[in-house]
Amino acid sequence: MQNCTRNGCGQSYDPAANDPMSCQYHPGKPEFHEGLKGWTCCKPRVHSFDDFLEIGGCKLGPHSNEPKHKDDPFKADLTQYDDVLPEPQPAATQAAAAATPVAAAARAPEPELIDEDPAGAIVAAGAKCKRNGCNAEFVSVDQSQGADQCQFHPGRAVFHEGTKGWTCCKPRATDFDEFMHIKGCARGRHLFIGTRAVVQAQTEKCRRDFYQMANDVIVSVYAKKIQRDASSVEFHGDSVQLHLEYGDGKVYDDTIQLYAAIDPAASSFEFLSTKAELKLAKVAPAQWPALERE
């Protein structure tokens, strides 16, 4: 297995099964401007770095493991970032901070909450670690759930005056690819599931719209940061059943009673960065006056 190096992908793939449409990626470069983050190749813009990493690729093609800087004579030396830990605060600085507790409290950052998997959690093979800076995949309990097997960043991404880094350690990079290769400054267990409480399923439906062509109906259900592994879409002859887990623990369940019959085998869906897009194959090529029957 090889790891794809295309922006927005990062999946492991078998070179023998690498078909021309297997990779969804961004052909452009990261763009950060006036607090917004996105890619030069497509329109979505978000504020947080986590949302930026969830922007789905805008182009399909084969996976590739070619180095991103293969044609660049300058290749960043990232060995200086290996196993970097925050430097201890000098004693004199600590004493000065203690002498002015109000000012120190104003400057002190909020402690980072480090989530952990519940004891005895069952993890699916191939599940990816959710910690910043770690892309490890679950193999087995012995190989993937050791005490110090994860090297990660407990802090948040920070972008300031053209430099990029993490709040938990000092290394800074000017190039986005360099930033993504800054090695974690803490060690612990991998996080494949997490224990933070799931918000109760929302009572109000996600916004949706649709348009149609002669043989298909395209339905968009708007929900950001859909968890692909935990969400599902089931097609039936006269209905579609949706279960979406998205955002910060939100859940959306719905059954759409369709206006006319569809072919479940010919229908398909795709989870994008801001929505789920369904392609419903009509049994009869007639115009639908509405998506749902009364």
Side-chain angles (χ1 to χ4, degrees), residues 30-38 49 52 159 164 176:
E31 184 177 59
F32 305 96
H33 181 64
E34 294 182 352
L36 294 175
K37 304 170 181 66
F49 182 70
F52 165 73
F159 303 93
K164 306 167 181 65
F176 181 75

Side-chain angles (χ1 to χ4, degrees), residues 239-290:
S239 65
V240 178
Q241 188 172 350
L242 298 104
H243 173 77
L244 303 181
E245 296 187 18
Y246 66 100
D248 297 324
K250 296 180 181 179
V251 179
Y252 168 62
D253 289 296
D254 192 17
T255 299
I256 305 175
Q257 301 295 337
L258 300 173
Y259 179 82
I262 63 169
D263 181 356
S267 300
S268 61
F269 70 91
E270 184 177 9
F271 294 141
L272 304 176
S273 60
T274 59
K275 65 180 179 179
E277 187 171 277
L278 320 179
K279 184 178 181 180
L280 311 179
K282 297 178 181 178
V283 171
Q287 287 291 308
W288 293 10

Side-chain angles (χ1 to χ4, degrees), residues 216-250:
D216 303 297
V217 177
I218 309 300
V219 182
S220 295
V221 181
Y222 294 93
K224 293 183 178 180
K225 297 173 63 177
I226 296 175
Q227 299 178 27
R228 292 171 171 81
D229 295 338
S231 301
S232 63
V233 178
E234 295 182 11
F235 297 106
H236 303 281
D238 60 354
S239 65
V240 178
Q241 188 172 350
L242 298 104
H243 173 77
L244 303 181
E245 296 187 18
Y246 66 100
D248 297 324
K250 296 180 181 179

Side-chain angles (χ1 to χ4, degrees), residues 52-74:
F52 165 73
L53 292 179
E54 292 293 330
I55 297 176
C58 59
K59 185 175 181 180
L60 294 175
H63 291 295
S64 171
N65 67 341
E66 295 182 358
K68 295 181 182 179
H69 294 290
K70 64 184 182 69
D71 298 324
D72 192 339
F74 169 76

